[in-house]
Amino acid sequence: MAVLKKLWDYTRNTQLWNSIFRHGPPDTARNRGLVVLTNVFLHLHPVKVRRSGIRLRFTWCMGGITFFLFLVEVATGLLLMFYYHPTVEYAYVDIVDLREQVPLGVMRELHRWGAHAMVITVWLHMLRVFMTGSYKPPREFNWNVGVLLLVLTLLLSFTGYLLPWDQLAMWAVTVGSNMARATPLLGHEGPGSSLLKIGDISLINAGNDARFALLGGRFVGAGALLRFYVLHCVGIPVVAIILMAVHFWRVRKDGGISGPV
Amino acid sequence: MAAAPGKPASAQAATPSVMTRRGFLSTLGVAWTAFAAACAAGAVATTRFMFPNVLFEPPQQFKAGLPADFQTGTVDQRYKESFGVFIVRDEQGIYVLRAVCTHLGCTPNWLEAENKFKCPCHGSGFYRSGINYEGPAPRPLERYRIVLADDGQILIDKTKIFAQEKGEWSSPDSFLKV
Ligand code: FES
């Protein structure tokens, strides 16, 4: 024991340790605060959390579980990217390959189950925040950030849906993206788009409307697969991560997790 | 707001190294305008980037062979895969149905035995004419423009759509009399 203590004391006094941690051991309230404040990741989190605020019966830990699932999706998704080609030729066989041949064939299922679970926990988190009135001032802004994160979660699910490139994926996304035809002004079947015309030529048609930009073509094909892949793996996650940072940081700035009234 | 030409020059001649307030503000105005314009141009160009010029999709117009290649009383599926059309010939002539369900856009199947189009997604059914009669599809299948090309072949033009509910099936190009 004495040896361990000596080693510990020695380590804490090395220049290396002190260059990383600029505060003493977390045995005083001040140092415990500094642990959080001087860490780039932890500083997003409230320095102090009310005991009542983290009662499981109050928060259901749904926000935390959602974040955990997001991390699961990032980790499993990154691994899947090592095997998957977003091309018409290979997409489907790569998915089969991931299931049948690649070691730990459950990886893709983990990604899929995690995605389903994340959608559920996001909704439950929203329900909890609503039922506990935690959206009320001063937390209105953070509620709105949360709504954006909900939309991004659903978009992640939607874009990921296409990637297996099977019949279900094709038609689900065909049906889903057909909604973009009805975008006001920018969809060629949407309200107001017929107003945008020069003489007899309408400016918005199937070859240049919102759906076309989403799919990179007139129907769900190679272009759509690649676009959805890029959005799924890079575009939406980056925006989601930025908004999550804002979301967590605002919890702290708005006075920590709201307590039961 | 550009400064009047000549003015800044004389001001500079008086005080060579000092910029006047007016000159500074107008330079600032020009600079911000130029910067905003550059940003706007960049945004437009980036948006345009997302709309490809060349599509690796089948052309919107194609020749489908001679009318004699299609027998009376058949629903022809040879261009269903490649161009997404059914070519139907009856006693009066030939019309081209767009193989896109009017419910949510799946591809219906032609069921010869039951003499109908059936959509696999939510079960909409259409008669041989394209008229919907069961399932959630709200309107008949659309027809494409069909004309005879100079060489006597059928020319199908997918850029022009005829909808029955708008009374367009009576327009001459929606139907090829043979
Ligand atoms: S898309 Fe054909 S029935 Fe729904």
Side-chain angles (χ1 to χ4, degrees), chain A residues 84-156:
Chain A
Y84 176 83
H85 305 74
T87 58
V88 171
E89 204 177 353
Y90 290 118
Y92 178 70
V93 285
D94 281 350
I95 295 289
V96 175
D97 179 56
L98 273 165
R99 189 181 66 210
E100 308 285 341
Q101 304 300 338
V102 176
L104 216 64
V106 80
M107 193 62 72
R108 197 219 136 201
E109 306 306 327
L110 284 180
H111 194 72
R112 196 168 72 93
W113 293 333
H116 289 323
M118 191 173 154
V119 171
I120 295 170
T121 56
V122 157
W123 281 113
L124 289 177
H125 176 57
M126 195 182 202
L127 177 69
R128 186 292 280 185
V129 169
F130 182 77
M131 298 307 266
T132 57
S134 305
Y135 57 87
K136 290 178 184 170
R139 298 187 174 82
E140 332 85 299
F141 177 74
N142 219 13
W143 168 270
N144 286 292
V145 176
V147 170
L148 290 179
L149 282 168
L150 167 75
V151 173
L152 290 179
T153 307
L154 299 180
L155 285 178
L156 278 168

Side-chain angles (χ1 to χ4, degrees), chain A residues 171 174-176 178-179 181 189 207-210 212-213 216-219 227, chain B residues 49-52 55-58 60 98 100 104-107 121-122 139 142:
Chain A
W171 295 111
T174 298
V175 166
N178 273 344
M179 284 189 269
R181 288 175 196 271
E189 288 173 7
N208 66 7
D209 68 343
F212 184 87
R218 288 193 180 83
F219 53 84
R227 283 186 186 206
Chain B
F49 178 81
M50 295 307 288
F51 293 86
L55 288 180
F56 300 94
E57 292 180 353
Q60 291 291 96
R98 181 181 181 214
V100 173
L104 290 171
C106 294
T107 306
C121 285
H122 317 94
R139 56 201 178 83
E142 290 156 348

Side-chain angles (χ1 to χ4, degrees), chain B residues 42-117:
Chain B
V44 169
T46 310
T47 309
R48 183 63 185 83
F49 178 81
M50 295 307 288
F51 293 86
N53 287 329
V54 177
L55 288 180
F56 300 94
E57 292 180 353
Q60 291 291 96
Q61 296 182 355
F62 66 101
K63 288 184 178 169
L66 299 167
D69 297 345
F70 299 90
Q71 282 170 20
T72 307
T74 57
V75 173
D76 189 282
Q77 309 204 45
R78 76 184 80 164
Y79 294 109
K80 180 186 170 190
E81 277 282 311
S82 46
F83 289 100
V85 296
F86 296 108
I87 301 174
V88 189
R89 176 157 185 183
D90 59 17
E91 279 73 39
Q92 281 95 51
I94 302 176
Y95 52 88
V96 183
L97 288 172
R98 181 181 181 214
V100 173
C101 179
T102 51
H103 178 224
L104 290 171
C106 294
T107 306
N109 295 313
W110 169 247
L111 305 182
E112 185 70 54
E114 295 166 48
N115 193 21
K116 69 177 181 186
F117 296 99

